[in-house]
Amino acid sequence: MLQLTCPWCGPRDETEFHHGGQAHVARPADPAALDDREWAAYLFFRDNPAGPFAERWVHSLGCRRWFHAVRDTVTYAVLATYRPDEPRPGVAAAARPEGESR
């Protein structure tokens, strides 16, 4: 089972949390000025990297606060968690077992 560390409550099982999508997606300054293609890009298109990826999570069965986590999408390892008012920490991809590729 995946373990996440809530910045306020500490380490907990994944079952206490809900995923909220990609972190650090900037809301358009003037949404009314966007055409349909630009609005669709904002709403639906997200990054999908192999490796470290910043995500939003909410501690729904705990403090109910939102926070960010950097998770390696290849190994599923959680590399860091941090509050939304903190900058994204610099993290390297989780080590993979010898001979395993992406």
Side-chain angles (χ1 to χ4, degrees), residues 4-102:
L4 290 165
T5 301
C6 172
W8 295 276
C9 302
R12 302 287 194 274
D13 289 336
E14 177 185 17
T15 57
E16 291 191 20
F17 302 92
H18 283 97
H19 185 261
Q22 182 176 348
H24 309 291
V25 176
R27 182 169 173 80
D30 186 7
L34 301 180
D35 63 26
D36 288 345
R37 173 172 261 127
E38 293 168 325
W39 189 242
Y42 166 70
L43 290 176
F44 302 113
F45 294 105
R46 297 291 181 256
D47 297 335
N48 188 19
F53 184 60
E55 304 170 323
R56 298 179 68 223
W57 288 82
V58 62
H59 193 179
S60 52
L61 296 180
C63 63
R64 297 178 151 185
R65 292 181 178 180
W66 285 92
F67 64 94
H68 295 162
V70 177
R71 183 178 60 85
D72 189 309
T73 60
V74 176
T75 64
Y76 212 62
V78 176
L79 306 174
T81 57
Y82 54 104
R83 296 186 326 252
D85 62 338
E86 297 176 325
R88 177 182 170 164
V91 294
R96 292 175 186 78
E98 188 69 32
E100 184 178 318
S101 62
R102 289 185 176 204

